[in-house]
Amino acid sequence: MLHVRGAEVGGHRVLRAETTAVPNGITALLSHLLNLTGKRPSVYFNWGEGNPLLHLLRYMLSGHGDVPPLTREIIRRAEPDPAKRPAVYVGV
């Protein structure tokens, strides 16, 4: 289940979401925004600390893990055409 609401934070309008699996929820929201607007949405992340393989294993066992690479992989599997995928940016 995904619940999304608008909020104002520091003078900026943001979307706040609650979901059981964060990467899946982000993917669902981005896909919905793409379908609703016809424009390619973007999402920005920072890298998490630790071993990416351990994050993946943790995600598979408990639903928790490093969100950026998991979100990107779920988006990649959901949309085979790179030109139609939401943009995922990861920085420091």
Side-chain angles (χ1 to χ4, degrees):
M1 181 67 65
L2 175 65
H3 296 280
V4 180
R5 62 184 171 84
E8 188 169 325
V9 178
H12 298 279
R13 296 184 308 174
V14 298
L15 295 175
R16 292 203 169 168
E18 294 179 32
T19 184
T20 53
V22 173
N24 299 67
I26 292 170
T27 301
L29 177 60
L30 293 173
S31 297
H32 178 71
L33 291 172
L34 177 63
N35 292 335
L36 188 67
T37 66
K39 296 184 180 185
R40 188 176 175 210
S42 301
V43 63
Y44 297 84
F45 294 106
N46 287 328
W47 284 116
E49 296 293 325
N51 184 324
L53 293 176
L54 291 178
H55 286 298
L56 177 61
L57 181 61
R58 189 170 135 210
Y59 177 75
M60 293 177 74
L61 295 175
S62 68
H64 300 281
D66 197 16
V67 174
L70 294 171
T71 301
R72 187 205 171 275
E73 182 60 19
I74 293 167
I75 289 171
R76 189 186 67 76
R77 288 182 182 201
E79 177 53 66
D81 183 357
K84 294 180 183 176
R85 289 183 198 146
V88 177
Y89 299 99
V90 183
V92 178

